[in-house]
Amino acid sequence: MVATLGFVTVGLFLALTLTRRVSVLLALVLVPIGTALAGGFAGELGDMIAKGVVKVAPVAVMITFAVLYFSLMLETGLFDPVIRGVLRYAKGDPMKITVGTAVLTLVVALDGDGASTFLITVSALLPIYQRLGMRPLVLTGVVCMGAGVMNMVPWGGPTARAMAALKMDSSDIFHPVLPAMIAGIAWVLLAAYFIGRRERARLLEEGVELPDAETGVPASGPGTPRADELRAPLDVRFWINLVLTVVLIVALVMELMPLEVLFAVAFAVALVINRPSWTQQQELLERHGANVVLVTTMIFAAGVFTGILSGTKMVTEMAEAIVSIVPDGTGGILPVATAVTSMPLSLVFTPDAYYYGVMPVVAETSAGLGGDPAEIARAAVLGQMTTGFPLSPLTASTFILLGMAKVDLGAHQRFIFGWAFGTTLVMTVVALLTGAISI
């Protein structure tokens, strides 16, 4: 009964958001509440929602200050050299800009943190897309693919969870799939090339005059809303901002303090340096307050959704139901089946639910049928909350990516799902060829 309720909850949510029947915010809140009430959990509903919201609160606080920090850095021109560098390389060619987006994302995502990757890449690249008339949907899609494949690193969430759940180390799980990850990176670059070519053709069909191929100077098209009167030249403030941002990123990677604390302190320092007067500070908060509210409300709504699914045990029951339908004679295909389904299941299961709930049960089933449990873990990280996490409504960082670029979740999923799923399929084939997983 509870498992059925869980599948109904997830199915209704996906159906409503993908068909744009209601906003994602409403679906995240009202769908699980409705199914929980139908299942007889009315008395426990308040406590479950509270726990879910409390669990995501640190993420919401972190994102609040992170959005404000990078918005301030964008205003002051910190990312202008990056923007000019990409434009010089691309010379106004949308295809080269798209490939450059993939390369930059792959580099930035080495820290294994999706939130900081999205904040940095979107802040740096969105003005380029706006300047040339390229769709933000292309930006979020390509960043999604690059960040997804890089989330396989051992210090990233999915691989770390897989190692903890099965009590293994990186030599058991990550090292064997490294060739597959390299193939995934190559696929991301190839996909970015084709997406960029398609975007260039679209712009030409619409009659948009692209920047000059020699100078890279935009000839026409929509302008970029930029606060030029507040922008600092490459003076002392620029270098202070650069040092502050580098120190912040290093501290984030080393986890010297909780992320929300680091961003709060960094934003306060940056505000004093760049907007010393009270009036300037108020104007900054008014300009970017809407973006903060948009993203944080989504995160708290996601807390309601995951809190109810966890509190009602829907997630646990769904996991057991899925495993129970595996026929005894098909144990040999479990690794491949796990790999192929891992990415789509990112839309259904949170990383904790999958790696601590579903994966151990599947691994135990595989072991009982003579398979290697480590292969299940390797198969899982080929897609579940790696290539799939930037499309999942169950991860807060997805809403950072979409909120900053002002892209609808359903549109984002429809645009990039096939390409992202292709990354998992390519890596699965390479994992089979290299023996990381077997049939």
Side-chain angles (χ1 to χ4, degrees), residues 6-45:
F7 288 118
V8 169
T9 302
V10 174
L12 276 176
F13 171 78
L14 293 176
L16 290 172
T17 54
L18 290 175
T19 59
R20 299 184 182 181
R21 297 290 182 182
V22 298
S23 69
V24 174
L25 178 64
L26 286 178
L28 283 170
V29 174
L30 297 182
V31 170
I33 288 177
T35 53
L37 290 173
F41 294 99
E44 309 161 52
L45 198 55

PDB file of all heavy atoms in Angstrom, residues 6-45:
ATOM      1  N   GLY A   6       3.748   5.706  -2.841  1.00  0.00           N
ATOM      2  CA  GLY A   6       4.977   6.378  -3.249  1.00  0.00           C
ATOM      3  C   GLY A   6       5.083   6.532  -4.756  1.00  0.00           C
ATOM      4  O   GLY A   6       5.428   7.603  -5.269  1.00  0.00           O
ATOM      5  N   PHE A   7       4.786   5.449  -5.471  1.00  0.00           N
ATOM      6  CA  PHE A   7       4.834   5.513  -6.931  1.00  0.00           C
ATOM      7  C   PHE A   7       3.796   6.499  -7.480  1.00  0.00           C
ATOM      8  O   PHE A   7       4.064   7.211  -8.450  1.00  0.00           O
ATOM      9  CB  PHE A   7       4.615   4.126  -7.524  1.00  0.00           C
ATOM     10  CG  PHE A   7       5.780   3.201  -7.347  1.00  0.00           C
ATOM     11  CD1 PHE A   7       5.666   2.032  -6.612  1.00  0.00           C
ATOM     12  CD2 PHE A   7       7.009   3.503  -7.923  1.00  0.00           C
ATOM     13  CE1 PHE A   7       6.748   1.184  -6.443  1.00  0.00           C
ATOM     14  CE2 PHE A   7       8.106   2.663  -7.760  1.00  0.00           C
ATOM     15  CZ  PHE A   7       7.969   1.494  -7.019  1.00  0.00           C
ATOM     16  N   VAL A   8       2.630   6.534  -6.842  1.00  0.00           N
ATOM     17  CA  VAL A   8       1.594   7.490  -7.265  1.00  0.00           C
ATOM     18  C   VAL A   8       2.082   8.921  -7.030  1.00  0.00           C
ATOM     19  O   VAL A   8       1.899   9.809  -7.874  1.00  0.00           O
ATOM     20  CB  VAL A   8       0.277   7.232  -6.510  1.00  0.00           C
ATOM     21  CG1 VAL A   8      -0.716   8.385  -6.741  1.00  0.00           C
ATOM     22  CG2 VAL A   8      -0.345   5.923  -6.950  1.00  0.00           C
ATOM     23  N   THR A   9       2.714   9.165  -5.887  1.00  0.00           N
ATOM     24  CA  THR A   9       3.219  10.496  -5.555  1.00  0.00           C
ATOM     25  C   THR A   9       4.234  10.967  -6.592  1.00  0.00           C
ATOM     26  O   THR A   9       4.128  12.068  -7.137  1.00  0.00           O
ATOM     27  CB  THR A   9       3.873  10.501  -4.163  1.00  0.00           C
ATOM     28  OG1 THR A   9       2.914  10.073  -3.191  1.00  0.00           O
ATOM     29  CG2 THR A   9       4.385  11.883  -3.800  1.00  0.00           C
ATOM     30  N   VAL A  10       5.227  10.118  -6.852  1.00  0.00           N
ATOM     31  CA  VAL A  10       6.277  10.488  -7.809  1.00  0.00           C
ATOM     32  C   VAL A  10       5.702  10.612  -9.216  1.00  0.00           C
ATOM     33  O   VAL A  10       6.037  11.536  -9.958  1.00  0.00           O
ATOM     34  CB  VAL A  10       7.418   9.452  -7.769  1.00  0.00           C
ATOM     35  CG1 VAL A  10       8.436   9.744  -8.864  1.00  0.00           C
ATOM     36  CG2 VAL A  10       8.092   9.461  -6.404  1.00  0.00           C
ATOM     37  N   GLY A  11       4.818   9.686  -9.582  1.00  0.00           N
ATOM     38  CA  GLY A  11       4.220   9.726 -10.915  1.00  0.00           C
ATOM     39  C   GLY A  11       3.394  10.980 -11.134  1.00  0.00           C
ATOM     40  O   GLY A  11       3.493  11.620 -12.192  1.00  0.00           O
ATOM     41  N   LEU A  12       2.584  11.352 -10.138  1.00  0.00           N
ATOM     42  CA  LEU A  12       1.778  12.570 -10.247  1.00  0.00           C
ATOM     43  C   LEU A  12       2.660  13.800 -10.349  1.00  0.00           C
ATOM     44  O   LEU A  12       2.408  14.707 -11.161  1.00  0.00           O
ATOM     45  CB  LEU A  12       0.853  12.703  -9.031  1.00  0.00           C
ATOM     46  CG  LEU A  12      -0.471  11.949  -9.063  1.00  0.00           C
ATOM     47  CD1 LEU A  12      -1.200  12.127  -7.738  1.00  0.00           C
ATOM     48  CD2 LEU A  12      -1.342  12.467 -10.211  1.00  0.00           C
ATOM     49  N   PHE A  13       3.703  13.823  -9.533  1.00  0.00           N
ATOM     50  CA  PHE A  13       4.600  14.976  -9.554  1.00  0.00           C
ATOM     51  C   PHE A  13       5.251  15.139 -10.923  1.00  0.00           C
ATOM     52  O   PHE A  13       5.257  16.233 -11.500  1.00  0.00           O
ATOM     53  CB  PHE A  13       5.693  14.824  -8.482  1.00  0.00           C
ATOM     54  CG  PHE A  13       6.774  15.858  -8.593  1.00  0.00           C
ATOM     55  CD1 PHE A  13       6.568  17.149  -8.123  1.00  0.00           C
ATOM     56  CD2 PHE A  13       7.984  15.555  -9.188  1.00  0.00           C
ATOM     57  CE1 PHE A  13       7.557  18.114  -8.246  1.00  0.00           C
ATOM     58  CE2 PHE A  13       8.979  16.504  -9.313  1.00  0.00           C
ATOM     59  CZ  PHE A  13       8.761  17.792  -8.832  1.00  0.00           C
ATOM     60  N   LEU A  14       5.803  14.057 -11.447  1.00  0.00           N
ATOM     61  CA  LEU A  14       6.456  14.131 -12.757  1.00  0.00           C
ATOM     62  C   LEU A  14       5.466  14.481 -13.855  1.00  0.00           C
ATOM     63  O   LEU A  14       5.765  15.280 -14.757  1.00  0.00           O
ATOM     64  CB  LEU A  14       7.151  12.802 -13.065  1.00  0.00           C
ATOM     65  CG  LEU A  14       8.348  12.443 -12.177  1.00  0.00           C
ATOM     66  CD1 LEU A  14       8.875  11.061 -12.525  1.00  0.00           C
ATOM     67  CD2 LEU A  14       9.455  13.479 -12.326  1.00  0.00           C
ATOM     68  N   ALA A  15       4.271  13.896 -13.796  1.00  0.00           N
ATOM     69  CA  ALA A  15       3.265  14.177 -14.829  1.00  0.00           C
ATOM     70  C   ALA A  15       2.854  15.646 -14.807  1.00  0.00           C
ATOM     71  O   ALA A  15       2.737  16.289 -15.866  1.00  0.00           O
ATOM     72  CB  ALA A  15       2.045  13.283 -14.621  1.00  0.00           C
ATOM     73  N   LEU A  16       2.646  16.185 -13.619  1.00  0.00           N
ATOM     74  CA  LEU A  16       2.192  17.573 -13.515  1.00  0.00           C
ATOM     75  C   LEU A  16       3.272  18.562 -13.935  1.00  0.00           C
ATOM     76  O   LEU A  16       2.986  19.572 -14.590  1.00  0.00           O
ATOM     77  CB  LEU A  16       1.745  17.871 -12.077  1.00  0.00           C
ATOM     78  CG  LEU A  16       0.456  17.191 -11.626  1.00  0.00           C
ATOM     79  CD1 LEU A  16       0.234  17.404 -10.135  1.00  0.00           C
ATOM     80  CD2 LEU A  16      -0.734  17.732 -12.414  1.00  0.00           C
ATOM     81  N   THR A  17       4.525  18.275 -13.556  1.00  0.00           N
ATOM     82  CA  THR A  17       5.596  19.226 -13.875  1.00  0.00           C
ATOM     83  C   THR A  17       6.045  19.112 -15.329  1.00  0.00           C
ATOM     84  O   THR A  17       6.323  20.123 -15.978  1.00  0.00           O
ATOM     85  CB  THR A  17       6.800  19.017 -12.950  1.00  0.00           C
ATOM     86  OG1 THR A  17       7.223  17.638 -12.997  1.00  0.00           O
ATOM     87  CG2 THR A  17       6.451  19.381 -11.517  1.00  0.00           C
ATOM     88  N   LEU A  18       6.132  17.900 -15.843  1.00  0.00           N
ATOM     89  CA  LEU A  18       6.587  17.735 -17.223  1.00  0.00           C
ATOM     90  C   LEU A  18       5.554  18.253 -18.221  1.00  0.00           C
ATOM     91  O   LEU A  18       5.908  18.689 -19.320  1.00  0.00           O
ATOM     92  CB  LEU A  18       6.897  16.265 -17.498  1.00  0.00           C
ATOM     93  CG  LEU A  18       8.144  15.705 -16.792  1.00  0.00           C
ATOM     94  CD1 LEU A  18       8.281  14.218 -17.042  1.00  0.00           C
ATOM     95  CD2 LEU A  18       9.409  16.428 -17.255  1.00  0.00           C
ATOM     96  N   THR A  19       4.268  18.204 -17.867  1.00  0.00           N
ATOM     97  CA  THR A  19       3.228  18.711 -18.759  1.00  0.00           C
ATOM     98  C   THR A  19       2.846  20.155 -18.434  1.00  0.00           C
ATOM     99  O   THR A  19       1.950  20.708 -19.074  1.00  0.00           O
ATOM    100  CB  THR A  19       1.961  17.834 -18.673  1.00  0.00           C
ATOM    101  OG1 THR A  19       1.479  17.830 -17.315  1.00  0.00           O
ATOM    102  CG2 THR A  19       2.254  16.411 -19.107  1.00  0.00           C
ATOM    103  N   ARG A  20       3.533  20.738 -17.441  1.00  0.00           N
ATOM    104  CA  ARG A  20       3.311  22.129 -17.052  1.00  0.00           C
ATOM    105  C   ARG A  20       1.871  22.393 -16.600  1.00  0.00           C
ATOM    106  O   ARG A  20       1.324  23.461 -16.835  1.00  0.00           O
ATOM    107  CB  ARG A  20       3.674  23.083 -18.197  1.00  0.00           C
ATOM    108  CG  ARG A  20       5.124  23.013 -18.619  1.00  0.00           C
ATOM    109  CD  ARG A  20       5.438  24.046 -19.668  1.00  0.00           C
ATOM    110  NE  ARG A  20       6.820  23.961 -20.108  1.00  0.00           N
ATOM    111  CZ  ARG A  20       7.368  24.761 -21.015  1.00  0.00           C
ATOM    112  NH1 ARG A  20       6.644  25.687 -21.595  1.00  0.00           N
ATOM    113  NH2 ARG A  20       8.625  24.632 -21.369  1.00  0.00           N
ATOM    114  N   ARG A  21       1.266  21.415 -15.976  1.00  0.00           N
ATOM    115  CA  ARG A  21      -0.091  21.605 -15.463  1.00  0.00           C
ATOM    116  C   ARG A  21      -0.090  22.575 -14.279  1.00  0.00           C
ATOM    117  O   ARG A  21      -1.010  23.376 -14.122  1.00  0.00           O
ATOM    118  CB  ARG A  21      -0.684  20.257 -15.027  1.00  0.00           C
ATOM    119  CG  ARG A  21      -0.842  19.248 -16.156  1.00  0.00           C
ATOM    120  CD  ARG A  21      -1.930  19.659 -17.113  1.00  0.00           C
ATOM    121  NE  ARG A  21      -2.120  18.667 -18.163  1.00  0.00           N
ATOM    122  CZ  ARG A  21      -2.987  18.809 -19.161  1.00  0.00           C
ATOM    123  NH1 ARG A  21      -3.717  19.906 -19.229  1.00  0.00           N
ATOM    124  NH2 ARG A  21      -3.096  17.881 -20.076  1.00  0.00           N
ATOM    125  N   VAL A  22       0.920  22.440 -13.433  1.00  0.00           N
ATOM    126  CA  VAL A  22       1.072  23.347 -12.297  1.00  0.00           C
ATOM    127  C   VAL A  22       2.549  23.692 -12.163  1.00  0.00           C
ATOM    128  O   VAL A  22       3.417  23.059 -12.774  1.00  0.00           O
ATOM    129  CB  VAL A  22       0.571  22.711 -10.975  1.00  0.00           C
ATOM    130  CG1 VAL A  22      -0.908  22.383 -11.044  1.00  0.00           C
ATOM    131  CG2 VAL A  22       1.382  21.461 -10.636  1.00  0.00           C
ATOM    132  N   SER A  23       2.848  24.681 -11.359  1.00  0.00           N
ATOM    133  CA  SER A  23       4.244  25.038 -11.135  1.00  0.00           C
ATOM    134  C   SER A  23       4.934  23.949 -10.309  1.00  0.00           C
ATOM    135  O   SER A  23       4.286  23.197  -9.573  1.00  0.00           O
ATOM    136  CB  SER A  23       4.340  26.377 -10.402  1.00  0.00           C
ATOM    137  OG  SER A  23       3.884  26.243  -9.067  1.00  0.00           O
ATOM    138  N   VAL A  24       6.252  23.884 -10.434  1.00  0.00           N
ATOM    139  CA  VAL A  24       7.027  22.906  -9.670  1.00  0.00           C
ATOM    140  C   VAL A  24       6.830  23.124  -8.174  1.00  0.00           C
ATOM    141  O   VAL A  24       6.719  22.173  -7.396  1.00  0.00           O
ATOM    142  CB  VAL A  24       8.521  23.000 -10.041  1.00  0.00           C
ATOM    143  CG1 VAL A  24       9.351  22.079  -9.150  1.00  0.00           C
ATOM    144  CG2 VAL A  24       8.731  22.642 -11.500  1.00  0.00           C
ATOM    145  N   LEU A  25       6.769  24.391  -7.759  1.00  0.00           N
ATOM    146  CA  LEU A  25       6.605  24.711  -6.343  1.00  0.00           C
ATOM    147  C   LEU A  25       5.327  24.095  -5.783  1.00  0.00           C
ATOM    148  O   LEU A  25       5.339  23.438  -4.739  1.00  0.00           O
ATOM    149  CB  LEU A  25       6.584  26.231  -6.163  1.00  0.00           C
ATOM    150  CG  LEU A  25       6.378  26.741  -4.732  1.00  0.00           C
ATOM    151  CD1 LEU A  25       7.544  26.334  -3.852  1.00  0.00           C
ATOM    152  CD2 LEU A  25       6.209  28.252  -4.725  1.00  0.00           C
ATOM    153  N   LEU A  26       4.216  24.283  -6.486  1.00  0.00           N
ATOM    154  CA  LEU A  26       2.952  23.725  -6.024  1.00  0.00           C
ATOM    155  C   LEU A  26       2.982  22.202  -6.022  1.00  0.00           C
ATOM    156  O   LEU A  26       2.477  21.565  -5.091  1.00  0.00           O
ATOM    157  CB  LEU A  26       1.807  24.219  -6.912  1.00  0.00           C
ATOM    158  CG  LEU A  26       1.360  25.673  -6.721  1.00  0.00           C
ATOM    159  CD1 LEU A  26       0.263  26.028  -7.709  1.00  0.00           C
ATOM    160  CD2 LEU A  26       0.892  25.914  -5.295  1.00  0.00           C
ATOM    161  N   ALA A  27       3.561  21.619  -7.066  1.00  0.00           N
ATOM    162  CA  ALA A  27       3.613  20.157  -7.143  1.00  0.00           C
ATOM    163  C   ALA A  27       4.450  19.567  -6.019  1.00  0.00           C
ATOM    164  O   ALA A  27       4.086  18.540  -5.431  1.00  0.00           O
ATOM    165  CB  ALA A  27       4.170  19.731  -8.497  1.00  0.00           C
ATOM    166  N   LEU A  28       5.567  20.199  -5.693  1.00  0.00           N
ATOM    167  CA  LEU A  28       6.430  19.702  -4.625  1.00  0.00           C
ATOM    168  C   LEU A  28       5.720  19.700  -3.274  1.00  0.00           C
ATOM    169  O   LEU A  28       5.960  18.835  -2.430  1.00  0.00           O
ATOM    170  CB  LEU A  28       7.697  20.561  -4.533  1.00  0.00           C
ATOM    171  CG  LEU A  28       8.785  20.317  -5.584  1.00  0.00           C
ATOM    172  CD1 LEU A  28       9.860  21.391  -5.507  1.00  0.00           C
ATOM    173  CD2 LEU A  28       9.415  18.940  -5.417  1.00  0.00           C
ATOM    174  N   VAL A  29       4.840  20.663  -3.068  1.00  0.00           N
ATOM    175  CA  VAL A  29       4.174  20.793  -1.767  1.00  0.00           C
ATOM    176  C   VAL A  29       2.846  20.028  -1.721  1.00  0.00           C
ATOM    177  O   VAL A  29       2.596  19.239  -0.804  1.00  0.00           O
ATOM    178  CB  VAL A  29       3.943  22.283  -1.433  1.00  0.00           C
ATOM    179  CG1 VAL A  29       3.125  22.423  -0.143  1.00  0.00           C
ATOM    180  CG2 VAL A  29       5.272  23.009  -1.295  1.00  0.00           C
ATOM    181  N   LEU A  30       1.993  20.252  -2.710  1.00  0.00           N
ATOM    182  CA  LEU A  30       0.626  19.740  -2.627  1.00  0.00           C
ATOM    183  C   LEU A  30       0.496  18.257  -2.961  1.00  0.00           C
ATOM    184  O   LEU A  30      -0.324  17.550  -2.358  1.00  0.00           O
ATOM    185  CB  LEU A  30      -0.287  20.560  -3.546  1.00  0.00           C
ATOM    186  CG  LEU A  30      -0.435  22.043  -3.189  1.00  0.00           C
ATOM    187  CD1 LEU A  30      -1.406  22.728  -4.146  1.00  0.00           C
ATOM    188  CD2 LEU A  30      -0.917  22.205  -1.747  1.00  0.00           C
ATOM    189  N   VAL A  31       1.293  17.757  -3.912  1.00  0.00           N
ATOM    190  CA  VAL A  31       1.170  16.344  -4.293  1.00  0.00           C
ATOM    191  C   VAL A  31       1.494  15.415  -3.128  1.00  0.00           C
ATOM    192  O   VAL A  31       0.690  14.529  -2.788  1.00  0.00           O
ATOM    193  CB  VAL A  31       2.030  16.022  -5.528  1.00  0.00           C
ATOM    194  CG1 VAL A  31       2.097  14.515  -5.757  1.00  0.00           C
ATOM    195  CG2 VAL A  31       1.462  16.712  -6.760  1.00  0.00           C
ATOM    196  N   PRO A  32       2.651  15.553  -2.468  1.00  0.00           N
ATOM    197  CA  PRO A  32       2.929  14.636  -1.355  1.00  0.00           C
ATOM    198  C   PRO A  32       1.977  14.809  -0.177  1.00  0.00           C
ATOM    199  O   PRO A  32       1.646  13.842   0.507  1.00  0.00           O
ATOM    200  CB  PRO A  32       4.374  14.966  -0.961  1.00  0.00           C
ATOM    201  CG  PRO A  32       4.595  16.354  -1.451  1.00  0.00           C
ATOM    202  CD  PRO A  32       3.788  16.477  -2.701  1.00  0.00           C
ATOM    203  N   ILE A  33       1.538  16.044   0.068  1.00  0.00           N
ATOM    204  CA  ILE A  33       0.568  16.254   1.149  1.00  0.00           C
ATOM    205  C   ILE A  33      -0.732  15.528   0.833  1.00  0.00           C
ATOM    206  O   ILE A  33      -1.313  14.848   1.694  1.00  0.00           O
ATOM    207  CB  ILE A  33       0.309  17.766   1.360  1.00  0.00           C
ATOM    208  CG1 ILE A  33       1.528  18.423   2.000  1.00  0.00           C
ATOM    209  CG2 ILE A  33      -0.927  17.980   2.235  1.00  0.00           C
ATOM    210  CD1 ILE A  33       1.397  19.925   2.181  1.00  0.00           C
ATOM    211  N   GLY A  34      -1.181  15.637  -0.411  1.00  0.00           N
ATOM    212  CA  GLY A  34      -2.416  14.970  -0.804  1.00  0.00           C
ATOM    213  C   GLY A  34      -2.335  13.465  -0.685  1.00  0.00           C
ATOM    214  O   GLY A  34      -3.246  12.818  -0.138  1.00  0.00           O
ATOM    215  N   THR A  35      -1.248  12.867  -1.155  1.00  0.00           N
ATOM    216  CA  THR A  35      -1.124  11.408  -1.082  1.00  0.00           C
ATOM    217  C   THR A  35      -0.903  10.933   0.354  1.00  0.00           C
ATOM    218  O   THR A  35      -1.364   9.857   0.731  1.00  0.00           O
ATOM    219  CB  THR A  35       0.028  10.919  -1.980  1.00  0.00           C
ATOM    220  OG1 THR A  35       1.235  11.631  -1.649  1.00  0.00           O
ATOM    221  CG2 THR A  35      -0.294  11.143  -3.451  1.00  0.00           C
ATOM    222  N   ALA A  36      -0.210  11.742   1.149  1.00  0.00           N
ATOM    223  CA  ALA A  36      -0.018  11.371   2.558  1.00  0.00           C
ATOM    224  C   ALA A  36      -1.353  11.378   3.301  1.00  0.00           C
ATOM    225  O   ALA A  36      -1.626  10.500   4.124  1.00  0.00           O
ATOM    226  CB  ALA A  36       0.969  12.324   3.225  1.00  0.00           C
ATOM    227  N   LEU A  37      -2.179  12.371   3.022  1.00  0.00           N
ATOM    228  CA  LEU A  37      -3.500  12.415   3.637  1.00  0.00           C
ATOM    229  C   LEU A  37      -4.339  11.215   3.194  1.00  0.00           C
ATOM    230  O   LEU A  37      -5.040  10.598   4.006  1.00  0.00           O
ATOM    231  CB  LEU A  37      -4.214  13.719   3.267  1.00  0.00           C
ATOM    232  CG  LEU A  37      -3.652  14.999   3.903  1.00  0.00           C
ATOM    233  CD1 LEU A  37      -4.350  16.225   3.322  1.00  0.00           C
ATOM    234  CD2 LEU A  37      -3.809  14.968   5.419  1.00  0.00           C
ATOM    235  N   ALA A  38      -4.242  10.882   1.907  1.00  0.00           N
ATOM    236  CA  ALA A  38      -4.992   9.730   1.397  1.00  0.00           C
ATOM    237  C   ALA A  38      -4.517   8.428   2.028  1.00  0.00           C
ATOM    238  O   ALA A  38      -5.297   7.477   2.176  1.00  0.00           O
ATOM    239  CB  ALA A  38      -4.850   9.652  -0.127  1.00  0.00           C
ATOM    240  N   GLY A  39      -3.255   8.381   2.411  1.00  0.00           N
ATOM    241  CA  GLY A  39      -2.707   7.176   3.023  1.00  0.00           C
ATOM    242  C   GLY A  39      -2.904   7.089   4.521  1.00  0.00           C
ATOM    243  O   GLY A  39      -2.421   6.138   5.160  1.00  0.00           O
ATOM    244  N   GLY A  40      -3.545   8.099   5.110  1.00  0.00           N
ATOM    245  CA  GLY A  40      -3.825   8.053   6.538  1.00  0.00           C
ATOM    246  C   GLY A  40      -2.711   8.569   7.424  1.00  0.00           C
ATOM    247  O   GLY A  40      -2.611   8.199   8.598  1.00  0.00           O
ATOM    248  N   PHE A  41      -1.852   9.449   6.893  1.00  0.00           N
ATOM    249  CA  PHE A  41      -0.725   9.973   7.670  1.00  0.00           C
ATOM    250  C   PHE A  41      -0.976  11.390   8.174  1.00  0.00           C
ATOM    251  O   PHE A  41      -0.029  12.121   8.464  1.00  0.00           O
ATOM    252  CB  PHE A  41       0.545   9.960   6.817  1.00  0.00           C
ATOM    253  CG  PHE A  41       1.034   8.590   6.450  1.00  0.00           C
ATOM    254  CD1 PHE A  41       0.738   8.052   5.206  1.00  0.00           C
ATOM    255  CD2 PHE A  41       1.760   7.825   7.348  1.00  0.00           C
ATOM    256  CE1 PHE A  41       1.190   6.786   4.856  1.00  0.00           C
ATOM    257  CE2 PHE A  41       2.211   6.564   7.012  1.00  0.00           C
ATOM    258  CZ  PHE A  41       1.922   6.039   5.759  1.00  0.00           C
ATOM    259  N   ALA A  42      -2.236  11.786   8.277  1.00  0.00           N
ATOM    260  CA  ALA A  42      -2.564  13.165   8.648  1.00  0.00           C
ATOM    261  C   ALA A  42      -1.947  13.560   9.987  1.00  0.00           C
ATOM    262  O   ALA A  42      -1.424  14.665  10.151  1.00  0.00           O
ATOM    263  CB  ALA A  42      -4.079  13.344   8.687  1.00  0.00           C
ATOM    264  N   GLY A  43      -1.982  12.664  10.961  1.00  0.00           N
ATOM    265  CA  GLY A  43      -1.477  12.988  12.282  1.00  0.00           C
ATOM    266  C   GLY A  43       0.018  13.219  12.339  1.00  0.00           C
ATOM    267  O   GLY A  43       0.510  13.930  13.224  1.00  0.00           O
ATOM    268  N   GLU A  44       0.768  12.619  11.421  1.00  0.00           N
ATOM    269  CA  GLU A  44       2.219  12.741  11.434  1.00  0.00           C
ATOM    270  C   GLU A  44       2.734  13.739  10.402  1.00  0.00           C
ATOM    271  O   GLU A  44       3.943  13.972  10.299  1.00  0.00           O
ATOM    272  CB  GLU A  44       2.854  11.370  11.136  1.00  0.00           C
ATOM    273  CG  GLU A  44       2.331  10.237  12.004  1.00  0.00           C
ATOM    274  CD  GLU A  44       2.630   8.881  11.389  1.00  0.00           C
ATOM    275  OE1 GLU A  44       3.804   8.634  11.059  1.00  0.00           O
ATOM    276  OE2 GLU A  44       1.692   8.096  11.213  1.00  0.00           O
ATOM    277  N   LEU A  45       1.818  14.328   9.634  1.00  0.00           N
ATOM    278  CA  LEU A  45       2.219  15.148   8.493  1.00  0.00           C
ATOM    279  C   LEU A  45       3.057  16.354   8.894  1.00  0.00           C
ATOM    280  O   LEU A  45       4.094  16.646   8.283  1.00  0.00           O
ATOM    281  CB  LEU A  45       0.964  15.612   7.740  1.00  0.00           C
ATOM    282  CG  LEU A  45       1.151  16.113   6.306  1.00  0.00           C
ATOM    283  CD1 LEU A  45       1.848  15.071   5.448  1.00  0.00           C
ATOM    284  CD2 LEU A  45      -0.197  16.472   5.702  1.00  0.00           C
TER     285      LEU A  45
END
